[in-house]
Amino acid sequence: MEHTISIMAQAERKVTDTKTIPFGKVPTEHMFIAEYADGKWSNARVTPFQNLVLSPMALCLHYGQTVFEGMKAFVMEDGRINVFRIDKHYARFNKSLDRMCMPEVPKKLFTEAIRQLVSLDADWVPRDADGSLYIRPFMIASEDRIGVKVSDEYLFMIVCSPAYLYYTQPLRVKVETEYVRAAEGGTGMAKCGGNYGGAFYPTSKARAEGFDQVLWTDAKTHELIEESGTMNAMFFIDDKLITPALSGSILDGVTRDSLITIAREKGMIVEERPVTYRELVAAFEAGKRVEAFGAGTAAVVAPIASIVIEGVEYNCYTEQDANMYKLREYLYAIRKGVAPDTHNWNYIIG
Ligand code: COI
């Protein structure tokens, strides 16, 4: 099905010093919106950024039928702009939508919407080495009906905001064994709003105790590391990259996948498998060099300085020569167009 996207651009450009903008605080001048009803998408348009008009009875406000993605655009060394791994983000978006009984977005609509929007707001893509334009595609159930049901109407939207380092300091985290983020068979693999809202309470408690984030464990045994808030969990133990294998309760992180691919190509040993916190304790107690970090679109590679496990704090390796920084540099180089993009990860906007 063909989708024509109308462009309703505003003349006034308001780019400020993007470096001073806190993550996700200031939108670019434009947004994208399309409507779904009667089984089809229509009225796709790029408009000036504006508030929504939504019925207080809209289903998303009551039963949480919402899904989002997080992607980034970069200015490459040659001045062109690329959107990183648009195909994988698209695939994950639709996987999440399917889990939440929401309609698929046609690939051409998704890709073209991002291309038009980012082209129009290209001035907002930071030129600094550590800057990017964060792209937030999302969908909400918009049918106004208080009865509990799958919505028949949806809005698919995209907004953008300049982004720098999500975490500016190495993190202090704790292994969470009381609360869970997701259970096998639940929605953990989907990027739906409820997964994040449900994490606020335990994360706030951890923050009050002096932690930056939690490392979630599985719902059944509380022994298997799942992921960290807003990121996948990854470790280097004795130079081996170890990360929990994907399961129904872990998000299939795009950065996780990119780092694993790069690590394998660089000849590193990579193990995707169950990781228990006891294995981490054993490694720390044996005096092994343990690097721990979160991987995510917003966080990129977020070093973890220490992990508290059953009340004992273990320090992780965060020196300059750590493997995680090497992986991050390789990733930066591909995105900036400095290293060859052998997997066609960069979708060039122009
Ligand atoms: C991302 O990394 O894109 C996320 O969605 C995490 C957070 C900003 C919600």
Side-chain angles (χ1 to χ4, degrees):
M1 193 192 305
E2 279 306 310
H3 293 279
T4 312
I5 299 177
S6 323
I7 309 288
M8 299 165 211
Q10 68 175 26
E12 193 198 346
R13 315 287 299 173
K14 296 183 295 210
V15 187
T16 53
D17 177 10
T18 52
K19 202 140 198 179
T20 60
I21 298 175
F23 181 89
K25 185 84 180 142
V26 178
T28 60
E29 274 123 10
H30 297 93
M31 62 181 281
F32 169 84
I33 183 162
E35 295 157 24
Y36 182 90
D38 302 323
K40 56 182 190 304
W41 288 103
S42 66
N43 209 4
R45 61 215 188 262
V46 172
T47 69
F49 184 91
Q50 58 197 261
N51 290 341
L52 301 174
V53 177
L54 204 60
S55 164
M57 289 170 76
L59 279 161
C60 64
L61 301 176
H62 303 274
Y63 309 118
Q65 237 193 325
T66 71
V67 156
F68 71 96
E69 260 306 314
M71 320 169 51
K72 277 181 174 171
F74 301 89
V75 176
M76 296 167 50
E77 260 216 344
D78 63 8
R80 292 180 303 164
I81 292 174
N82 85 67
V83 175
F84 191 66
R85 301 208 66 178
I86 196 167
D87 291 347
K88 184 146 176 78
H89 282 287
Y90 171 74
R92 188 175 67 178
F93 190 48
N94 277 324
K95 213 167 148 196
S96 302
L97 292 170
D98 184 52
R99 180 63 181 79
M100 297 302 289
C101 289
M102 297 165 80
E104 183 173 314
V105 172
K107 186 160 189 185
K108 195 142 186 259
L109 180 62
F110 185 87
T111 310
E112 195 52 20
I114 289 174
R115 200 180 66 76
Q116 298 278 6
L117 182 59
V118 175
S119 303
L120 202 56
D121 284 342
D123 289 356
W124 283 85
V125 189
R127 266 64 187 160
D128 329 68
D130 53 353
S132 62
L133 185 71
Y134 188 78
I135 305 168
R136 171 55 61 89
F138 64 110
M139 194 189 294
I140 60 171
S142 53
E143 182 183 340
D144 50 333
R145 179 93 167 257
I146 276 186
V148 181
K149 72 180 282 282
V150 173
S151 182
D152 285 329
E153 292 167 19
Y154 296 88
L155 296 175
F156 165 45
M157 292 170 276
I158 309 173
V159 293
C160 302
S161 181
Y164 290 86
L165 287 181
Y166 194 76
Y167 295 109
T168 50
Q169 295 291 332
L171 307 174
R172 181 170 183 255
V173 303
K174 79 169 208 186
V175 169
E176 177 61 68
T177 51
E178 185 183 356
Y179 301 100
V180 288
R181 173 186 171 272
E184 207 51 50
T187 58
M189 43 61 69
K191 217 162 163 57
C192 58
N195 286 347
Y196 294 78
F200 286 164
Y201 182 74
T203 308
S204 301
K205 278 186 87 171
R207 291 231 164 94
E209 293 164 22
F211 298 103
D212 299 299
Q213 266 302 345
V214 298
L215 271 179
W216 298 106
T217 51
D218 71 298
K220 242 188 229 161
T221 68
H222 278 307
E223 294 207 352
L224 296 168
I225 301 288
E226 295 245 297
E227 59 177 76
S228 185
T230 72
M231 313 174 281
N232 289 108
M234 305 187 99
F235 306 91
F236 272 104
I237 302 179
D238 282 346
D239 293 334
K240 210 188 279 177
L241 179 59
I242 297 166
T243 190
L246 294 179
S247 68
S249 54
I250 295 179
L251 193 74
D252 179 3
V254 176
T255 307
R256 173 191 181 278
D257 181 77
S258 306
L259 296 178
I260 287 173
T261 305
I262 294 169
R264 289 203 168 111
E265 283 172 358
K266 298 291 174 191
M268 295 175 177
I269 298 171
V270 180
E271 293 180 359
E272 293 178 76
R273 57 166 173 77
V275 182
T276 67
Y277 71 74
R278 293 190 196 289
E279 175 180 356
L280 298 180
V281 171
F284 283 119
E285 287 183 347
K288 293 187 177 177
R289 172 171 147 171
V290 178
E291 294 178 32
F293 59 103
T297 299
V300 194
V301 168
I304 292 173
S306 72
I307 307 178
V308 170
I309 306 175
E310 292 179 318
V312 181
E313 183 148 10
Y314 300 94
N315 290 321
C316 306
Y317 189 83
T318 55
E319 297 301 315
Q320 284 289 303
D321 65 341
N323 290 302
M324 60 186 160
Y325 299 129
K326 290 180 195 143
L327 279 188
R328 185 168 67 185
E329 285 312 309
Y330 295 138
L331 180 65
Y332 280 167
I334 296 172
R335 298 192 309 197
K336 288 277 171 190
V338 177
D341 177 19
T342 50
H343 300 281
N344 288 323
W345 283 346
N346 294 333
Y347 173 74
I348 309 288
I349 299 275

